[in-house]
Amino acid sequence: MKNSLSKKLQDEQKRIEKIAKDLGLDFYETVFEMVDYKQMNQIAAQGGFPVRYPHWRFGMEYESLSKSYEYGLSKIYELVINNDPCYAYLLEGNSFLDQKLVMAHVYGHCDFFKNNQWFSQTNRKMMDQTANHATRIRRYIDRHGIDAVESFIDCCLSIDNLIDRYSPYSKVKVDMAERDKDYLVQSDIAQRKDYLNKFIDSGVNKKDENNKENETIRNPERPEKDILKFLIENAPLEDWQQDILSILRDEAYYFTPQGMTKIMNEGWASYWHAKMMTEHICSDSEIVCFADTHAGTMAMQPGGFNPYKIGIEIFRDIKRRWDRGQFGRDWESCEDIREKANWNTKALQGEDKIFEVRRNMNDVTFIDQFLTEDFCVENKFFVYKFNKKTNQFEIDTTDFKAIKSKMLFQLANFGQPIIQVVDSNFEGRGELLMTHLFEGIELQPDYMQECMTRIYNLWKKPINLATVLDEEGVIVRYDGSEFKNQKVNEMLSSEKKE
Amino acid sequence: MGILEDHRRFKEIIKGKIKENFKKYITHEEMIGKREKEFVKIPIPKIKIPKFVYGPKQSGGVGQGEGQEGSEAPGKGEKAGDKSGEHQVEVDVEFDELAAMLGEELELPRIEPKGKSKLDSSLNKYTGISDVGPRGLHHFKKTYKEALKRNISSGTYDPDDPIIIPIKKDFRYKAPKLVSKPATNAVVIYMMDVSGSMGNQQKEIVRLESFWINTWLKYNYKGLETRFIIHDAAAKEVEEDTFFRTSESGGTLISSAYKKALEVIESDYPVHDWNIYLFHFSDGDNWSSDDTKLCVSLIKEKFAPVVNMFGYGQVESKYGSGQFIKDLKVHFENDDQVVLSRVKDKTEIIKSIKEFLGKGN
């Protein structure tokens, strides 16, 4: 169904690849394929992969992509997959110039995928892996029917954001798949002191030992943010359900770094496509058309937030500052505005610095370190909030610190609440207790209840969630038929009385 | 392709054929953006998978644009109070395209204007091509193309010396084509109950419905006129703007509006030359059953024989829904000209438009 490139584009690809390499970009082999818009929409709807398991939400994405394409509202220019080799798709019918632009942009992404440390733990054979997942899930569908399997997937999708985004990096060089296997048994044993071993291994089956321990020791031992893993290991699931849940977890972890580095990744790719296009690729007659397309991509809509624009500007700013030596103690301590404006030590470290930044950082650290007040002022950033009295969103402040902290808050954990499992035997009745780490913003109540009923479907015993509703600490309990909110204060005082 | 199967399943969920419990996550959006500049939003149905999330109103965010502290946040205004707004794509769309989309989405039949044969006017347009004709109508481009084709196929074309000399066989001429241009005229008369029980929400529904009905009719008839009548216990004709803004507190005599509409038709729109559409929106709380009887006889004797369609939309208000639609139903259940539709709330507008326009009258 896919076509390889025309001779002309192949030549161009070779040329651009060489330019990219000469500029210092480093990437896996990159395979470009030409697709028509239907194929492009399909691949995009499936998260970039040509083969995914059957699920209606891919159909939903497909519908909205197709419609907005057919009505001429938008089209996807490029699509690139973090894989070895990298796969990238070009849209049939785009102008020759656009195709060149996309190729230059794609090499930026490929370099980022390969070298940014947050991608270091991702599966580089994900293309095969998703196809494998699809086969497994299709097999379950053949056996259990589409309705059962799809409903189960629906259920899991409601909680597929409940993973521990930083966990793949905390353990040094542990293969994810390996680590997940028999996780409890292995880690428990590894943590035991040597002198205890003789007691443990003395004739008692390891598994039994483990089960016994679970009765006395709290499970999980420490609060667990990776609720998916916890459920895979502890919920009363059938084998196929367990497998599906772990498939979804795998995929959630695979997509995580892309969310963690959205601004940087797009900024990096844009930085390099702009440099390559203007300095090496475009002919004189193409430059205006390029500028037009480029400007379209970088435009900030009122109220919007364009990661391409923010990313590229920050990278350029870093390059400029480090080229002129505007960093370090001398720079920081200088208070003369004029001197600062003309500061130029000819350090020329900009190039090294941006490569270092692209290796080590993610959006949170990137914004934290390099977002400048000037940039916010220039682009008219503001923090908005909802005003209950006027029933509209209003500009709250244009203060730089507030903007930055709001941005960082939205980027940390993708602006999603952090929820962890605390106890799997709450109140001694095998109920599940989760806590929401409250950071000043309450959960949306109807969605919260929906998610709890879905977790109940997996756990099959009552679910408790400690959170804050209407500015009061509550434990919300769902027992399979109804919700009960108990205020934490009241619980504490009634315990005292007893 | 697996995606088509996924797509089919998604469609079935949207239509409520499978997974009925998903209905509450389907986002139904208002379809209209700005009316004057003909900005619209295109509804793209989506199903939101519930997750643990922060409420959007609580969290706020970072945006960008002009404004002072305390002023409305740019780009956020229209979304206020409607969290489902984030799925919409806002774009410029040509009026005709919009109508075409509407027709396609709702699978509306094209309207067959009545009296077509009578009103057709035909004229000659030189859009055809012929291989014989007078020199004055010589079509240079087509001729050149033919000559080029002949040269290439016979192998005499030389890219280094690309001279093309047409021979007699190559010459093409503009030719007249008979184009029939329907000179159809249509008028829509909107009537709305503005009595005390019709609140802002009800009027909003009427406004949206009439916008879409207008869009569709304008697409089907080149010269569309609109007239507006409001009524409580008495009726008067008003400007479009007033139509949507007026709020009276009186009671309801529906026949007053019908009489007024009849006056308008009789004075301005000879029934043989005009396609006439009447739409009436009310919450259905007519004062007296005598008046309802009068309305029924007006529709039966005066409207039904001459109009393309008489549409009655009953909008439910906080006082519930009145009796009027039931009374009409008794008399016009099987009448093609009279279409009745009940609109509970905003989400039913689309369904109601389909009821009105689905017949292709």
Side-chain angles (χ1 to χ4, degrees):
Chain A
M1 76 182 205
K2 279 159 267 173
N3 292 316
S4 51
L5 304 189
S6 67
K7 178 78 175 62
K8 200 172 160 196
L9 279 170
Q10 274 178 23
D11 292 346
E12 205 57 42
Q13 186 202 339
K14 276 181 205 138
R15 190 164 80 96
I16 294 171
E17 187 179 325
K18 181 161 188 315
I19 294 169
K21 278 199 173 134
D22 290 347
L23 286 169
L25 297 186
D26 165 37
F27 35 81
Y28 297 119
E29 185 198 345
T30 305
V31 182
F32 285 92
E33 275 169 3
M34 185 67 79
V35 294
D36 65 27
Y37 78 91
K38 278 188 180 155
Q39 293 162 341
M40 185 68 118
N41 288 338
Q42 179 194 351
I43 296 167
Q46 296 179 160
F49 292 96
V51 184
R52 284 300 280 279
Y53 57 85
H55 192 261
W56 57 262
R57 79 177 192 287
F58 302 129
M60 170 174 82
E61 287 307 320
Y62 181 71
E63 158 129 344
S64 81
L65 288 169
S66 310
K67 265 197 186 162
S68 53
Y69 180 86
E70 280 157 20
Y71 293 153
L73 317 184
S74 71
K75 66 177 175 181
I76 302 164
Y77 266 89
E78 48 105 7
L79 198 65
V80 51
I81 304 178
N82 166 30
N83 195 69
D84 178 15
C86 258
Y87 282 93
Y89 300 96
L90 299 176
L91 183 61
E92 206 174 79
N94 270 353
S95 74
F96 186 59
L97 177 69
D98 283 344
Q99 306 290 28
K100 289 197 282 190
L101 168 63
V102 169
M103 287 198 265
H105 190 84
V106 160
Y107 281 113
H109 279 309
C110 293
D111 169 79
F112 197 88
F113 287 148
K114 185 175 173 187
N115 295 291
N116 180 273
Q117 62 145 331
W118 300 98
F119 282 91
S120 61
Q121 303 297 320
T122 52
N123 184 351
R124 306 290 191 182
K125 296 289 174 197
M126 199 59 184
M127 199 86 152
D128 304 336
Q129 189 68 38
T130 54
N132 177 341
H133 289 167
T135 314
R136 269 148 75 188
I137 292 183
R138 274 178 207 283
R139 208 178 293 146
Y140 296 133
I141 289 174
D142 289 344
R143 209 172 297 157
H144 305 282
I146 176 87
D147 290 321
V149 173
E150 202 180 51
S151 303
F152 184 75
I153 294 175
D154 291 343
C155 201
C156 300
L157 285 175
S158 262
I159 52 170
D160 77 349
N161 57 340
L162 304 180
I163 56 176
D164 186 356
R165 298 202 160 73
Y166 293 96
S167 71
Y169 316 104
S170 57
K171 317 241 158 40
V172 190
K173 280 272 172 194
V174 185
D175 181 43
M176 284 283 289
E178 202 49 38
R179 193 173 68 95
D180 288 349
K181 245 190 261 160
D182 297 325
Y183 175 84
L184 269 188
V185 180
Q186 286 187 359
S187 64
D188 270 6
I189 290 169
Q191 279 168 15
R192 280 182 197 123
K193 292 275 187 304
D194 279 341
Y195 62 84
L196 282 174
N197 278 346
K198 59 180 174 188
F199 296 103
I200 291 159
D201 291 331
S202 60
V204 188
N205 183 310
K206 275 182 205 164
K207 275 244 154 125
D208 283 351
E209 174 71 19
N210 224 15
N211 284 343
K212 262 185 204 165
E213 272 197 358
N214 281 349
E215 284 166 22
T216 48
I217 295 178
R218 206 169 218 228
N219 181 22
E221 282 178 49
R222 262 170 259 104
E224 176 62 83
K225 284 179 193 161
D226 193 342
I227 296 182
L228 287 194
K229 190 183 80 189
F230 180 83
L231 290 172
I232 292 170
E233 287 162 358
N234 296 287
L237 300 170
E238 290 177 38
D239 284 352
W240 65 271
Q241 294 178 322
Q242 211 169 20
D243 192 35
I244 289 180
L245 193 52
S246 65
I247 286 174
L248 293 178
R249 178 168 168 268
D250 258 11
E251 297 191 354
Y253 272 111
Y254 170 81
F255 285 112
T256 295
Q258 303 190 10
M260 285 166 82
T261 57
K262 180 81 182 155
I263 298 174
M264 280 183 78
N265 204 341
E266 293 302 353
W268 183 254
S270 302
Y271 178 88
W272 287 104
H273 87 225
K275 196 170 167 72
M276 285 192 253
M277 291 300 278
T278 51
E279 292 175 16
H280 302 279
I281 301 175
C282 283
S283 65
D284 293 353
S285 63
E286 289 171 330
I287 202 79
V288 172
C289 285
F290 161 73
D292 187 42
T293 313
H294 180 76
T297 327
M298 297 299 143
M300 291 259 244
Q301 300 297 331
F305 186 94
N306 185 344
Y308 292 76
K309 170 75 176 170
I310 294 169
I312 193 176
E313 290 300 337
I314 292 179
F315 271 118
R316 282 178 175 164
D317 193 45
I318 297 171
K319 171 92 163 55
R320 188 185 52 79
R321 280 170 58 198
W322 261 260
D323 273 349
R324 296 165 71 98
Q326 298 179 350
F327 59 91
R329 185 184 282 175
D330 288 350
W331 163 258
E332 298 292 341
S333 59
C334 171
E335 283 174 5
D336 184 341
I337 293 176
R338 188 179 303 162
E339 198 184 327
K340 265 193 147 171
N342 295 321
W343 189 289
N344 190 354
T345 62
K346 303 211 168 65
L348 293 181
Q349 294 176 26
E351 188 111 342
D352 292 344
K353 186 67 187 175
I354 56 172
F355 274 96
E356 178 196 320
V357 167
R358 85 90 159 77
R359 177 175 293 283
N360 294 328
M361 297 209 163
N362 62 28
D363 282 351
V364 174
T365 50
F366 187 63
I367 293 292
D368 187 32
Q369 269 195 47
F370 300 113
L371 184 74
T372 61
E373 183 158 8
D374 291 343
F375 184 68
C376 289
V377 173
E378 202 178 303
N379 285 288
K380 304 195 177 80
F381 278 15
F382 56 76
V383 175
Y384 64 85
K385 65 171 185 193
F386 190 74
N387 185 335
K388 280 181 186 157
K389 280 179 201 150
T390 55
N391 202 33
Q392 66 182 12
F393 285 98
E394 287 179 354
I395 295 177
D396 184 27
T397 173
T398 51
D399 175 53
F400 172 59
K401 276 190 186 141
I403 292 169
K404 191 161 146 184
S405 72
K406 190 90 222 175
M407 253 184 176
L408 289 176
F409 179 78
Q410 286 181 327
L411 292 171
N413 211 41
F414 305 151
Q416 288 174 354
I418 298 176
I419 290 169
Q420 50 192 19
V421 172
V422 184
D423 193 355
S424 62
N425 193 20
F426 185 52
E427 310 253 291
R429 292 191 297 248
E431 298 184 7
L432 194 66
L433 174 66
M434 303 182 294
T435 54
H436 163 214
L437 300 185
F438 187 69
E439 290 169 291
I441 303 177
E442 294 177 13
L443 299 175
Q444 195 175 317
D446 50 339
Y447 275 30
M448 177 193 78
Q449 292 196 345
E450 263 324 307
C451 289
M452 287 178 68
T453 58
R454 289 169 179 216
I455 298 176
Y456 178 88
N457 289 343
L458 304 179
W459 188 250
K460 302 193 174 69
K461 281 184 183 166
I463 308 295
N464 297 274
L465 174 68
T467 181
V468 178
L469 287 179
D470 294 328
E471 297 173 10
E472 266 188 295
V474 288
I475 291 188
V476 184
R477 181 168 182 272
Y478 179 67
D479 63 3
S481 55
E482 59 176 353
F483 286 90
K484 265 189 196 139
N485 295 2
Q486 192 166 21
K487 285 177 183 142
V488 173
N489 288 339
E490 288 169 9
M491 279 168 73
L492 290 179
S493 58
S494 67
E495 265 171 34
K496 265 180 203 162
K497 271 177 215 158
E498 283 165 17
Chain B
M1 273 203 307
I3 198 78
L4 295 180
E5 175 62 20
D6 292 341
H7 188 222
R8 192 185 57 77
R9 263 192 98 67
F10 169 65
K11 281 284 198 193
E12 284 184 352
I13 297 172
I14 292 289
K15 286 179 184 158
K17 284 190 188 148
I18 48 174
K19 290 184 200 270
E20 297 228 339
N21 55 337
F22 267 55
K23 261 208 155 138
K24 56 187 157 180
Y25 310 122
I26 300 177
T27 51
H28 286 290
E29 282 110 27
E30 194 186 32
M31 295 161 94
I32 180 175
K34 284 177 200 125
R35 188 179 169 143
E36 270 76 23
K37 286 182 198 157
E38 293 168 9
F39 261 100
V40 290
K41 291 171 177 173
I42 294 162
I44 293 176
K46 285 237 171 179
I47 297 168
K48 231 178 162 180
I49 296 172
K51 298 192 181 205
F52 286 112
V53 289
Y54 295 131
K57 286 185 189 174
Q58 291 215 2
S59 49
V62 177
Q64 183 257 349
E66 300 286 343
Q68 300 292 315
E69 288 175 22
S71 68
E72 190 185 324
K76 300 284 168 205
E78 283 163 21
K79 290 180 189 170
D82 177 18
K83 63 181 181 299
S84 58
E86 63 196 72
H87 285 308
Q88 289 177 344
V89 193
E90 224 170 304
V91 281
D92 262 310
V93 186
E94 295 286 320
F95 204 83
D96 274 2
E97 281 176 37
L98 176 60
M101 283 178 207
L102 176 75
E104 190 182 310
E105 287 300 316
L106 299 182
E107 293 159 4
L108 297 178
R110 282 297 299 248
I111 293 172
E112 284 294 333
K114 75 170 178 182
K116 192 176 178 184
S117 58
K118 240 184 279 173
L119 299 167
D120 261 15
S121 66
S122 52
L123 74 171
N124 283 331
K125 270 200 167 175
Y126 283 86
T127 52
I129 295 291
S130 154
D131 45 11
V132 288
R135 249 223 134 106
L137 292 175
H138 169 219
H139 195 299
F140 181 81
K141 256 192 188 167
K142 283 266 177 343
T143 307
Y144 174 78
K145 245 189 188 165
E146 285 302 317
L148 186 63
K149 263 195 240 169
R150 180 179 48 80
N151 263 321
I152 290 173
S153 57
S154 65
T156 51
Y157 179 72
D158 175 10
D160 296 326
D161 183 26
I163 293 175
I164 305 287
I165 300 164
I167 59 171
K168 188 161 181 270
K169 210 172 75 181
D170 299 330
F171 278 91
R172 291 291 179 275
Y173 304 91
K174 292 168 195 157
K177 228 181 183 177
L178 195 67
V179 190
S180 66
K181 195 179 156 203
T184 46
N185 290 320
V187 60
V188 197
I189 302 174
Y190 291 101
M191 294 168 275
M192 178 162 62
D193 181 356
V194 289
S195 63
S197 51
M198 291 281 286
N200 279 336
Q201 243 179 342
Q202 284 72 42
K203 270 184 221 144
E204 180 69 7
I205 292 173
V206 177
R207 191 173 70 81
L208 288 169
E209 280 223 40
S210 60
F211 172 82
W212 287 104
I213 292 171
N214 252 352
T215 303
W216 183 243
L217 292 178
K218 244 189 220 171
Y219 180 61
N220 281 281
Y221 296 104
K222 286 307 149 205
L224 182 78
E225 288 192 18
T226 45
R227 304 287 285 263
F228 298 90
I229 293 169
I230 54 175
H231 75 93
D232 43 17
K236 61 184 166 198
E237 196 186 344
V238 293
E239 294 293 306
E240 181 171 356
D241 235 26
T242 334
F243 182 72
F244 293 114
R245 298 232 167 97
T246 317
S247 180
E248 310 276 340
S249 53
T252 315
L253 279 178
I254 294 177
S255 66
S256 64
Y258 293 179
K259 282 181 201 152
K260 187 84 197 171
L262 199 58
E263 256 174 55
V264 172
I265 294 173
E266 278 171 355
S267 70
D268 294 348
Y269 304 102
V271 292
H272 293 295
D273 296 347
W274 289 83
N275 292 280
I276 299 168
Y277 289 83
L278 296 172
F279 287 97
H280 176 223
F281 296 94
S282 161
D283 59 358
D285 249 336
N286 208 6
W287 257 4
S288 70
S289 53
D290 283 350
D291 190 66
T292 303
K293 264 181 217 152
L294 182 57
C295 291
V296 170
S297 73
L298 274 172
I299 297 173
K300 223 176 219 165
E301 286 155 25
K302 301 286 182 188
F303 293 147
V306 298
V307 301
N308 289 43
M309 187 206 282
F310 178 88
Y312 173 68
Q314 184 149 308
V315 190
E316 248 167 59
S317 71
K318 53 185 182 239
Y319 307 108
S321 181
Q323 180 70 26
F324 195 62
I325 194 164
K326 290 179 202 149
D327 296 336
L328 291 186
K329 213 170 191 173
V330 176
H331 291 92
F332 302 106
E333 181 84 71
N334 299 314
D335 197 316
D336 267 353
Q337 247 76 43
V338 181
V339 185
L340 309 174
S341 171
R342 208 185 256 277
V343 202
K344 236 188 251 153
D345 52 38
K346 265 193 193 174
T347 61
E348 291 200 347
I349 291 177
I350 298 175
K351 178 188 99 163
S352 163
I353 291 172
K354 199 171 162 137
E355 281 171 357
F356 280 139
L357 304 176
K359 288 194 175 172
N361 288 359

